């Protein structure tokens, strides 16, 4: 007989490329306190869109994911939409950018910047 199991989603996976890019931006800015914030806002062609910013401080209700000296922050409202997602950094024909692979998204727009649940 097995007991009740609880599923706790991983907050966020951060790829090697994303870590390397944040590390280089921190070095370029000469500011080891910089943290990458990943958030969700309303808008975009699919309903929600991803946002990224750099901040020095962490809010009380933020979830943080740290890897190799890099900290990624997620606010409490965005967490429900981003839990289990992966943050990556890509360089391609559309330029260089952070991208999200989100298993919670039921649809995404062509460029991957917006999604719906």
């Amino acid at each position: 007989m097995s007991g009740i199991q609880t599923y706790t989603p991983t907050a966020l996976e951060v790829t090697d490329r994303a870590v390397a890019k944040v590390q280089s931006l921190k070095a370029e800015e000469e500011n080891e306190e910089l943290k990458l914030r990943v958030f969700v806002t309303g808008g975009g062609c699919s309903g929600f869109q991803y946002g990224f910013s750099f901040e020095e401080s962490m809010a009380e209700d933020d979830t943080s994911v740290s890897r190799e000296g890099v900290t990624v922050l997620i606010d409490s409202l965005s967490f429900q939409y981003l839990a289990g997602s992966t943050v990556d950094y890509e360089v391609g024909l559309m330029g260089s950018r952070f991208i999200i692979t989100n298993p919670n998204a039921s649809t995404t727009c062509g460029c991957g910047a917006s999604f719906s649940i």
Side-chain angles (χ1 to χ4, degrees), residues 1-48:
M1 178 177 205
S2 64
I4 297 174
Q5 295 181 355
T6 302
Y7 172 71
T8 304
T10 56
L12 203 65
E13 295 292 327
V14 184
T15 67
D16 292 340
R17 289 185 299 212
V19 167
K21 184 60 179 179
V22 173
Q23 287 172 335
S24 74
L25 290 169
K26 287 170 58 173
E28 184 179 307
E29 292 293 319
E30 298 178 355
N31 186 348
E32 284 299 313
E33 298 302 312
L34 286 179
K35 299 162 184 52
L36 176 65
R37 179 173 294 283
V38 180
F39 57 93
V40 173
T41 60
C45 52
S46 294
F48 295 105

Side-chain angles (χ1 to χ4, degrees), residues 22-99:
V22 173
Q23 287 172 335
S24 74
L25 290 169
K26 287 170 58 173
E28 184 179 307
E29 292 293 319
E30 298 178 355
N31 186 348
E32 284 299 313
E33 298 302 312
L34 286 179
K35 299 162 184 52
L36 176 65
R37 179 173 294 283
V38 180
F39 57 93
V40 173
T41 60
C45 52
S46 294
F48 295 105
Q49 60 189 6
Y50 301 112
F52 303 91
S53 65
F54 282 94
E55 299 181 8
E56 292 182 353
S57 60
M58 179 175 161
E60 191 175 296
D61 63 343
D62 283 341
T63 297
S64 68
V65 175
S66 296
R67 182 172 169 225
E68 299 176 40
V70 167
T71 301
V72 178
L73 303 175
I74 311 163
D75 65 82
S76 60
L77 292 173
S78 298
F79 183 86
Q80 63 187 322
Y81 301 110
L82 294 170
S85 295
T86 301
V87 178
D88 197 6
Y89 185 78
E90 73 173 13
V91 178
L93 295 175
M94 293 179 63
S96 57
R97 62 189 177 140
F98 288 100
I99 60 168

